[in-house]
Each structure stands twice: as structure tokens, then as C-alpha cells.
Amino acid sequence: MDARHMKIIAAQEALKHVEHGMRLGIGTGSTAEEFVRLLAEKVAEGLEVRGVPTSERTARLCLELGVPLNSLDELPELDLTIDGADEVDNQLRLIKGGGGALLREKIVAAASARMIVIADESKVVDTLGKYPLPIEVNPFGLAATRIAVEKCASRLGLTGDIALRKRGEDAYETDGGHYILDASFGRISDAEALAASLYSIPGVVEHGLFINLASLAIIAGPQSARTIAV
Ligand code: 5RP
């Protein structure tokens, strides 16, 4: 079974949680896109939902496939957000932002009554941190912010490369016009402490540690899906 098929299995399970009339946060990434494709089929059959996309990329796909969209300002309180993740632990702490949409993803998830994560078994870890942690930063003062991130991590015993994400020769720019630092810290034993500490740095706009946001993860394996709930 290929990776795409597992994403479809997770997306199919997630779709079962979508009800008529829901205000839906719609995530970003290849797994979330499988969900959008399935959702679009249901919409074509008559399911009524209003979607709030977490990125311009997701918005484009939704519009192309006929999923009705609103802005978060039009629908500031959402029933459910469905989104992918780069890592999930068994307490439903996540690393997100591999697709560069972490800021909007976190704002949308926080505005939702529930967040369901869709992923495959390769994303499940005992301890977060194998996947580099995306940290969205203001372009102003980039070098100073990178040093501050380094110092804050080192106080927590974390070291490793902190790389500016690139697109070709240029810095990768998020939908909000910010840059991303990908921090290869390895095992993050105290994700809560790191999250709080990163917020104390003025140039840090947001980080990819999603803690206490998801209430359910649908994890697809080669044969079927299982869930992790808190
Ligand atoms: C985007 C994200 C994605 O949800 C995450 O990168 C997972 O993507 P994929 O489903 O393609 O593996 O956080 O910012």
C-alpha cells in the first residue's frame, strides 16, 4: 500500500466527523488535500459546509473543487478543524509547519471547538523532535532572532542546526510574509517549556508545537486506521 493510499484512508475516516451545516477549518498539506478532495465529492452530492482554509494553497484547491469558503473573520468560531501533522505523540502533541502554514493553522485550530489530526503511522513518535521544528519569524532582525532561539533552546538542553527555510535561492515566505527557521533539536523532552520559551522571543511569530489543540488523531496504517484521543 502506498503512502497516498494511507492519507486517503485517514481522510475518509475524518470525513465521518463532518456534519451538515458545519463551519470547518481546512488544513494544509498532502493529507489535508486528500480530505479536501473527498469533502468536495460530498459537497457535490449536497453536503452543506462552510470552510475556512489555513493557507492560500488550500484555498485554491477548495475553490477549484467547489468547496464553499469563508474567511476566519466571517466565521470566527468553527465547529471542527481537520489538518495533517508532521509528528504526533501519544498525548496528541504535534509538530506542524512542514508545509509552511503553521501560523494560520494554529489560529484556525484555536478558533475551532475541535481539531482532528489526520496522518499515517510514519508520523507517530514517542517523543517529538525527530522532524525539525518550524519556527515562523519576522524577517526583521532575523539574525538576532536566530541567536535568541539558539540561546533559549540551549537553556533547555537543546542544540542543533537552525536553518532558514529556502525556496530556491531565496528565503521561503509564508502566506503572512514571514520566514521560517527549521530547528533540528532532536528529542524535545519538555515541549511545553520549549513552547513557552519560544513565545518570549519578540521576533518569533509562532512555532510549530501544537499543544492542547487536537482532541483526536486518525492514524492510518497499511490496512486500517486507529485513533489516538485525549
Ligand atoms: C503544513 C502542515 C502539514 O499538515 C504537515 O506538514 C503535514 O503535511 P503532509 O500531510 O503533506 O505530510 O503542518 O504547514
Side-chain angles (χ1 to χ4, degrees):
M1 177 164 306
D2 65 10
R4 180 169 179 216
H5 199 75
M6 287 200 275
K7 292 172 192 187
I8 293 172
I9 290 179
Q12 276 167 337
E13 287 301 312
L15 196 58
K16 295 177 184 167
H17 294 261
V18 176
E19 292 166 19
H20 197 75
M22 269 189 168
R23 299 159 298 177
L24 212 54
I26 305 179
T28 296
S30 55
T31 317
E33 283 174 8
E34 297 302 345
F35 172 75
V36 172
R37 289 191 187 94
L38 295 172
L39 179 67
E41 286 173 17
K42 291 284 175 201
V43 168
E45 290 165 10
L47 176 74
E48 278 179 29
V49 289
R50 307 295 310 177
V52 172
T54 53
S55 63
E56 299 300 325
R57 169 179 156 185
T58 295
R60 279 194 294 276
L61 184 65
C62 288
L63 291 174
E64 192 184 303
L65 298 178
V67 175
L69 293 183
N70 284 91
S71 69
L72 190 59
D73 284 328
E74 288 164 336
L75 292 181
E77 291 180 301
L78 303 174
D79 301 297
L80 174 64
T81 286
I82 307 230
D83 200 351
D86 300 301
E87 278 189 352
V88 185
D89 76 6
N90 59 16
Q91 291 175 63
L92 282 189
R93 291 177 293 207
L94 317 172
I95 285 183
K96 284 187 53 56
L102 63 145
L103 175 60
R104 291 191 187 184
E105 288 173 332
K106 200 177 274 188
I107 293 172
V108 168
S112 301
R114 283 192 302 147
M115 177 192 190
I116 297 179
V117 175
I118 47 177
D120 61 63
E121 289 287 357
S122 69
K123 307 287 185 69
V124 181
V125 295
D126 288 331
T127 308
L128 297 178
K130 198 167 161 194
Y131 193 91
L133 176 68
I135 303 170
E136 187 157 344
V137 298
N138 198 297
F140 180 84
L142 174 66
T145 300
R146 190 204 296 242
I147 291 170
V149 168
E150 227 165 52
K151 285 186 180 163
C152 128
S154 145
R155 280 193 293 272
L156 295 168
L158 296 169
T159 53
D161 186 46
I162 300 174
L164 178 66
R165 192 178 296 184
K166 294 278 189 71
R167 176 175 275 164
E169 291 295 294
D170 302 323
Y172 172 90
E173 225 179 87
T174 67
D175 285 343
H178 307 125
Y179 292 166
I180 291 183
L181 294 173
D182 288 306
S184 298
F185 291 143
R187 287 168 57 91
I188 300 171
S189 52
D190 192 342
E192 285 79 2
L194 179 60
S197 186
L198 287 171
Y199 280 139
S200 71
I201 301 170
V204 169
V205 177
E206 193 46 86
H207 57 73
L209 290 166
F210 281 49
I211 299 172
N212 295 328
L213 284 168
S215 54
L216 183 73
I218 297 171
I219 308 294
Q223 310 298 337
S224 57
R226 65 180 173 104
T227 56
I228 305 173
V230 287

